[in-house]
Each structure stands twice: as C-alpha cells, then as structure tokens.
Amino acid sequence: MNTPIKVKLSSTVIVLLKWGVDKIPSSINKKPLKNYDYRVMMVKRSNNIKFFPSAHVFPGGAVDEHDNSLEWENVIEKPIPSNLPIRISALREIFEETNFFLDKNDKLIKNSSRIENLQSDLMNKETSKINNFLLNFIKESDIKLNLSQLYQWARWVTPILGPKQTHRFDTYFYITPIYKYPESCKIDGTENVEMDWLSPEEALEEHRMGKISLPPPTWLTFHQLSKCHTIDQAIELAKKRDSLNILYDPIMTKPTIPSNASTTIPQERYQVLQGDYIYEQQQQQQQQSSSSSATSTKATINPNQKNRIVTRSRTGDLNDQFSWIYEYQNTVPGSIDSQYDGANTILPPKL
C-alpha cells in the first residue's frame, strides 16, 4: 500500500508597494513606471535551495510550531481572522526574510536596534527554531497587530511529482499593501540572495527575456495582477478573491502524442487544474475506484474544457527551469481566471 504524501501548511506574501509616494533608495531605483503605480517585492532564491533554486519568488515558508501558539490571540486585534497560524506564518516569514513587518496602521515598526538584534540572532543562532522570538518581541513592545489588510489571494498545493517525493506544500498566497518604502528591509544572503521590486509588466517581461525564472504559480499570479494598474484595483480584486477561497491543486501530466506524430513536437507538460477535462476525468476515476457502489454514474465531461498551465522549454530541455516558457489555457465557463486564457511567455503581456 502506498504511503500518503504528507501535506505541510505554508504561506507566501505578495507585498505591494505604492511607488513614488516616498523616497526610494537609489540602489533600487528603476525607470519610471509606465502602466502601474506599484511594484511587488521579489526575492531571488539561493542556488543551494533544492526547490526552484535561483528562481524569483514571493517571500514565504512553512508554518512553524510556534505559529500555532494560542498566545497569538492576545496580541491580535479582534475579530480574530481565520487560519490565524498561517497568517502569523506570513508575517513571520516577511520578518525573517526581509527584516520588517507591519503594525495596525500599515506603518513599519522602526525600533531598528531591537529588530537588528533579532535579525542577527536569527541568522546566527536560528532563534526561530529555539523560541518564539517574534511573539515575545511583540508582547514586550506592547503591540496589537491588525491582520485585516492581509488578503488571501489563492492557495497552491504542490503537485505529486514522483515516487521519491516526501511531502507537498499547501501554500496560502496572501497579498498586502504598503505605502512607504521599508527602510529596514534587507535579506540574509543565505536562503535568498537578492531582493527586487518589480511591476507585473516588468516581472513578466524579464521572465519572457530569460533574465529571471518564475515558478508557474508566481508567473500566473503576475498575469492576474497585470489587469490591476493601481494598488487600489489590486486590493479590490484581492478582497474578491479572498471571499472565494480559490484553490489550485494541480495534477502533473504529459500530453498524449499520436504515434504517427512528428518527432519535432516540442517537449512539454501540463499542470491541469480544476475544471480541465483531464483533471475531472482523474477525479472521477478516483471516486469510482474508492466507491463501493458498482453502479455509480459518470458525470458528463466536456472534452474541450481546459484549465491548465502548459510548460515548454526554449531549448527542449525541461530540466532547465530558466528555459521554461508558459501558456495558460482556461475555457471553464464562469471561472475567475478565464480572462487570462491565452496568456503566455512568448508574446508581450496582455495589458
């Protein structure tokens, strides 16, 4: 009997910075934005990381045992939001990876000496694995956190990748706005080696040119954000998506190639999502195999219905993540993502 793959909870945070309202350090200055009034925090993963090394991602990580402490409810303003440990994980990961977090008024807590000491302990002694450093800091500082501007954008579950896989991540993607550049912001140079601030247009363009590597969920998230030209539009969409509790639980599959097909067909694979006919067929087969009823009825599946990310390679080598190019296909009626049908890496982003 196959042992079920363990699923670990994790979080990632899409930090939107309103651009141009505050002094931006010259070290990260970019040309003026053409189509957006905000940029998104990105970190480049170390090439020593096993999963997506050297890729540009949103900061985040697994839920820690201390994130489940009931004491957190004493430092959170009421009402207590859902999935509190995962939201706490999101705030903690921002602090661990970028050295800042937010108070209830969306202003940065600037007790720089204490934060610097905490960050130094974190880097040198792995304090997060020894004690609940962030909770203690917040309690000692007499801070009440407000998580009302941390919106759930989506959930992405790592697909089943093969027999050697030991676990999957159920990652909650949160989005939050900030309106002042976080002056204490920096990375530790270990897990992440660079920080950047990119508009949706810039991120998609740099991926298209092969300058950066974006994992499929990150790439699709930027396409979703590309329709939002202002930070206010992005937050309004985030509120809508938060209410829908959107889940992406992809199934990895390869396309069926006819036996008489040309051998020059490019190598590709699919991440099929809910609503795609391949996804629905597999779900139906699993239900039938686990059902005790031999007379279970089959639901009608539309063979033309697609909801998938197609991954191809510029070089023909799918082992090289920097060569990946994507296409998103969605013909599911009523899907919130159907407006992105046809989005791809090769063509300029549809803005």
Side-chain angles (χ1 to χ4, degrees):
M1 183 176 66
N2 293 331
T3 303
I5 299 175
K6 184 178 180 180
V7 177
K8 298 181 179 181
L9 289 175
S10 65
S11 64
T12 192
V13 190
I14 308 162
V15 180
L16 308 184
L17 171 62
K18 180 67 178 288
W19 206 254
V21 298
D22 190 48
K23 183 178 179 181
I24 308 297
S26 59
S27 60
I28 65 167
N29 265 343
K30 296 179 178 293
K31 59 185 179 182
L33 290 177
K34 294 180 179 178
N35 297 305
Y36 298 90
D37 72 353
Y38 66 94
R39 282 189 164 105
V40 183
M41 175 190 284
M42 300 292 293
V43 292
K44 182 179 179 179
R45 295 167 65 84
S46 163
N47 61 8
N48 295 319
I49 298 292
K50 184 177 180 180
F51 194 62
F52 279 105
S54 300
H56 273 66
V57 298
F58 310 120
V63 175
D64 184 273
E65 60 177 308
H66 299 297
D67 300 330
N68 289 282
S69 172
L70 295 178
E71 292 188 60
W72 278 109
E73 295 189 11
N74 298 324
V75 298
I76 303 294
E77 289 196 349
K78 304 298 188 292
I80 302 298
S82 61
N83 300 316
L84 181 59
I86 308 173
R87 293 174 186 268
I88 295 300
S89 169
L91 295 183
R92 177 180 56 76
E93 288 291 343
I94 292 179
F95 175 69
E96 286 188 24
E97 296 190 17
T98 67
N99 200 42
F100 83 95
F101 59 98
L102 306 174
D103 71 6
K104 62 183 180 180
N105 297 314
D106 296 322
K107 295 178 181 178
L108 301 175
I109 298 171
K110 289 187 178 178
N111 193 334
S112 58
S113 61
R114 298 186 68 188
I115 288 182
E116 289 289 338
N117 289 337
L118 278 172
Q119 189 72 4
S120 176
D121 287 344
L122 202 87
M123 293 167 61
N124 299 325
K125 302 176 184 178
E126 297 187 344
T127 308
S128 63
K129 296 181 180 179
I130 301 173
N131 58 63
N132 201 345
F133 73 98
L134 184 56
L135 176 59
N136 291 336
F137 172 69
I138 291 173
K139 288 166 62 177
E140 293 169 6
S141 303
D142 195 26
I143 296 169
K144 282 283 188 178
L145 295 177
N146 186 313
L147 306 183
S148 62
Q149 287 199 311
L150 195 64
Y151 306 102
Q152 183 178 316
W153 186 265
R155 287 169 55 197
W156 281 89
V157 181
T158 310
I160 296 176
L161 301 173
K164 295 183 179 181
Q165 187 175 9
T166 59
H167 60 271
R168 307 167 71 195
F169 285 104
D170 182 355
T171 304
Y172 284 64
F173 280 54
Y174 291 108
I175 197 168
T176 191
I178 60 175
Y179 298 91
K180 188 173 184 179
Y181 180 77
E183 296 176 13
S184 64
C185 194
K186 67 177 182 179
I187 55 173
D188 61 14
T190 55
E191 181 179 347
N192 301 309
V193 295
E194 291 180 15
M195 174 182 289
D196 211 342
W197 296 89
L198 301 172
S199 73
E201 181 180 37
E202 290 169 329
L204 292 170
E205 178 66 8
E206 292 198 15
H207 171 76
R208 185 182 73 84
M209 297 176 66
K211 292 183 177 180
I212 64 174
S213 167
L214 297 177
T218 310
W219 176 83
L220 183 57
T221 299
F222 270 118
H223 266 291
Q224 293 161 341
L225 282 170
S226 71
K227 300 285 187 179
C228 303
H229 298 277
T230 69
I231 197 170
D232 291 340
Q233 291 172 347
I235 295 307
E236 283 305 307
L237 179 58
K239 292 177 181 179
K240 179 179 180 180
R241 293 178 64 91
D242 187 295
S243 68
L244 297 176
N245 191 27
I246 299 169
L247 172 65
Y248 301 104
D249 187 7
I251 297 173
M252 295 293 293
T253 184
K254 293 182 179 180
T256 301
I257 300 177
S259 58
N260 61 347
S262 168
T263 56
T264 60
I265 290 178
Q267 189 180 13
E268 60 184 30
R269 60 171 168 250
Y270 300 157
Q271 289 192 43
V272 295
L273 303 165
Q274 185 174 10
D276 191 291
Y277 77 91
I278 296 176
Y279 187 99
E280 300 304 323
Q281 284 176 344
Q282 293 204 23
Q283 294 293 104
Q284 194 175 87
Q285 290 169 1
Q286 290 178 6
Q287 292 172 2
Q288 289 173 346
S289 63
S290 62
S291 175
S292 59
S293 172
T295 59
S296 59
T297 58
K298 292 184 178 181
T300 301
I301 297 175
N302 181 351
N304 296 316
Q305 193 161 287
K306 297 179 180 179
N307 185 12
R308 63 184 64 171
I309 299 176
V310 182
T311 303
R312 302 184 179 93
S313 170
R314 292 185 180 92
T315 63
D317 180 10
L318 280 175
N319 292 317
D320 177 10
Q321 71 184 47
F322 275 84
S323 74
W324 288 357
I325 55 178
Y326 305 122
E327 180 182 358
Y328 181 63
Q329 301 171 356
N330 188 328
T331 59
V332 180
S335 168
I336 192 172
D337 291 323
S338 60
Q339 60 184 306
Y340 312 110
D341 178 44
N344 59 74
T345 297
I346 298 299
L347 297 176
K350 294 181 178 180
L351 302 176

